[in-house]
Amino acid sequence: MGYKVVVAGATGNVGREMLNILAERQFPVDEIAVLASRRSLGTEVSFGERTLKTEDLDTFDFTGWDIALFAIGSDATKKYAPKSAAAGCVVIDNSSLYRYDPDIPLVVPECNPEAVEQYAKKNIIANPNCSTAQMVVALKPLHERARIKRVVVSTYQSVSGSGKDAIDELWDQTKAQYNPTADYERKVYTKDIAFNVIPHIDKFMEDGSTKEEWKMMVETKKIVDPSIKVTATCVRVPVFVGHSEAVNIEFEEFLDEDEARDILREAPGVMVIDKREDGGYVTPRECVGDYATFISRIRQDSTIDNGLNLWCVSDNLRKGAALNAVQIAETLGNRVLKKG
């Protein structure tokens, strides 16, 4: 006997990717429902070899369903997640709405799988921010060996993290560079993204950081260890899919770069590609469609006593969103629900 699974927001980039990954990983689905807003009602989406028509999220009855994967944004989640949870259907939410609620677990299965067992307080589990998810997969095994004191991270985040409209905006602006007569309207970003980088993701906060930078700090503490200090600079770059991060780590004790490389090679969800030669590293284009978080450029930081630098790349629609949500569902099933 398998699970009755709901995917809410099935017509969006992340929702479609959730369906792809459920099929690819052969998640034990007995029955599946795909939900969307009324303006997308009846849109067809693929699930393995099947084609499904979306149902109305507003009128859907979650009673009798086991797991709901939400990819609908914070505003809609605030309305529909409690409805699902009250009906006994566990919500795995991809929005930022519940990540900082102390009664709701924030889970990256490679790092804190035991946290899913706290789901019963509100029948909701939160999926972390895309930039945090890939970083903590690398941080956790290193932290277990040498205790991390501080992380300084600069991100290079693709436009798919802002949704389909942002992908279209990059495409339209890129074409317009070569065809000056082509018109485009800037809708998503505050400045042009084509052939540019924008050091601004999410809203600005009082201390001058952005909400995206704040998320990385708070979520790393919740997932890995509250004692770790994190400072981030988050930048949007003209890449369609795949987030990259330059990560500087300071440890409590010395960790040799060769040992760190060996630890990461054995770490779940991590693929090390680190040759000190031309092309001996991973770029975001190469990670698209892959499950792994790729680590390259591992090297000692000679400016501090116990420091390392590394380069971290992942498909943000997968590990940063859909894959992690499905992995949470798998972990919940294996540790708690025990079906399939």
Side-chain angles (χ1 to χ4, degrees):
M1 185 172 66
Y3 297 94
K4 294 180 68 175
V5 177
V6 177
V7 176
T11 60
N13 290 336
V14 174
R16 290 177 187 270
E17 202 64 31
M18 286 173 170
L19 289 166
N20 290 337
I21 293 169
L22 285 167
E24 287 173 14
R25 294 174 72 91
Q26 298 182 329
F27 187 82
V29 174
D30 265 4
E31 191 175 344
I32 189 161
V34 290
L35 310 182
S37 63
R38 286 184 179 169
R39 62 186 172 87
S40 299
L41 204 58
T43 301
E44 293 186 343
V45 294
S46 297
F47 174 58
E49 296 181 355
R50 296 166 57 188
T51 299
L52 308 173
K53 282 191 175 183
T54 56
E55 302 177 51
D56 187 359
L57 173 60
D58 196 49
T59 59
F60 186 78
D61 184 359
F62 290 91
T63 304
W65 294 82
D66 298 305
I67 298 171
L69 304 178
F70 270 48
I72 55 176
S74 294
D75 290 342
T77 296
K78 190 173 185 178
K79 178 178 179 181
Y80 297 107
K83 181 179 173 183
S84 173
C89 179
V90 182
V91 173
I92 299 171
D93 176 38
N94 193 60
S95 81
S96 62
L97 182 64
Y98 294 114
R99 291 174 187 160
Y100 317 109
D101 186 325
D103 290 331
I104 291 177
L106 180 66
V107 178
V108 174
E110 294 92 339
C111 300
N112 60 340
E114 70 287 344
V116 298
E117 295 170 19
Q118 303 166 23
Y119 82 98
K121 290 181 180 178
K122 292 191 176 178
N123 238 18
I124 297 171
I125 302 171
N127 207 24
N129 187 40
C130 49
S131 51
T132 306
Q134 68 185 68
M135 184 174 74
V136 296
V137 168
L139 293 183
K140 182 64 186 295
L142 299 177
H143 182 63
E144 289 179 345
R145 161 62 181 83
R147 306 292 297 176
I148 295 171
K149 290 173 60 178
R150 181 173 185 254
V151 175
V152 181
V153 56
S154 297
T155 73
Y156 308 78
Q157 294 178 229
S158 66
V159 296
S160 57
S162 301
K164 184 180 181 302
D165 288 345
I167 294 173
D168 292 342
E169 187 158 305
L170 172 57
W171 177 241
D172 291 341
Q173 289 180 11
T174 302
K175 289 187 295 181
Q177 292 289 324
Y178 295 98
N179 179 10
T181 63
D183 291 329
Y184 68 87
E185 183 181 355
R186 193 189 297 145
K187 296 179 180 177
V188 179
Y189 298 120
T190 56
K191 300 199 177 191
D192 284 357
I193 184 61
F195 303 96
N196 201 15
V197 297
I198 304 173
H200 173 195
I201 301 178
D202 212 325
K203 61 186 72 172
F204 277 95
M205 304 181 74
E206 286 187 8
D207 66 354
S209 61
T210 64
K211 189 74 176 289
E212 185 83 357
E213 293 156 357
W214 177 84
K215 289 174 188 175
M216 292 195 75
M217 181 267 290
V218 175
E219 292 174 20
T220 299
K221 288 175 175 289
K222 187 170 180 179
I223 295 166
V224 182
D225 189 326
S227 69
I228 296 175
K229 296 179 180 179
V230 179
T231 182
T233 301
C234 294
V235 182
R236 192 70 71 187
V237 297
V239 170
F240 286 111
V241 178
H243 287 358
S244 306
E245 298 169 348
V247 188
N248 176 268
I249 311 167
E250 182 180 2
F251 297 91
E252 289 185 4
E253 58 184 273
F254 180 76
L255 178 59
D256 179 75
E257 63 187 39
D258 291 327
E259 184 181 358
R261 197 174 288 110
D262 289 340
I263 289 169
L264 290 169
R265 282 198 176 106
E266 298 299 319
V270 173
M271 178 73 69
V272 175
I273 297 180
D274 188 19
K275 296 180 180 179
R276 294 177 176 178
E277 60 187 43
D278 292 351
Y281 45 82
V282 173
T283 62
R285 263 183 83 163
E286 297 160 275
C287 78
V288 175
D290 208 297
Y291 288 149
T293 293
F294 292 89
I295 305 297
S296 307
R297 305 291 320 282
I298 303 166
R299 62 205 188 279
Q300 229 75 51
D301 176 4
S302 60
T303 67
I304 53 177
D305 290 337
N306 304 315
L308 282 177
N309 290 302
L310 56 84
W311 176 249
C312 175
V313 181
S314 190
D315 182 332
N316 56 293
L317 297 179
R318 290 207 154 204
K319 186 55 192 170
L323 172 61
N324 200 73
V326 174
Q327 287 177 305
I328 291 172
E330 292 170 344
T331 305
L332 179 69
N334 292 335
R335 297 179 78 105
V336 182
L337 303 182
K338 300 186 185 297
K339 283 185 177 182

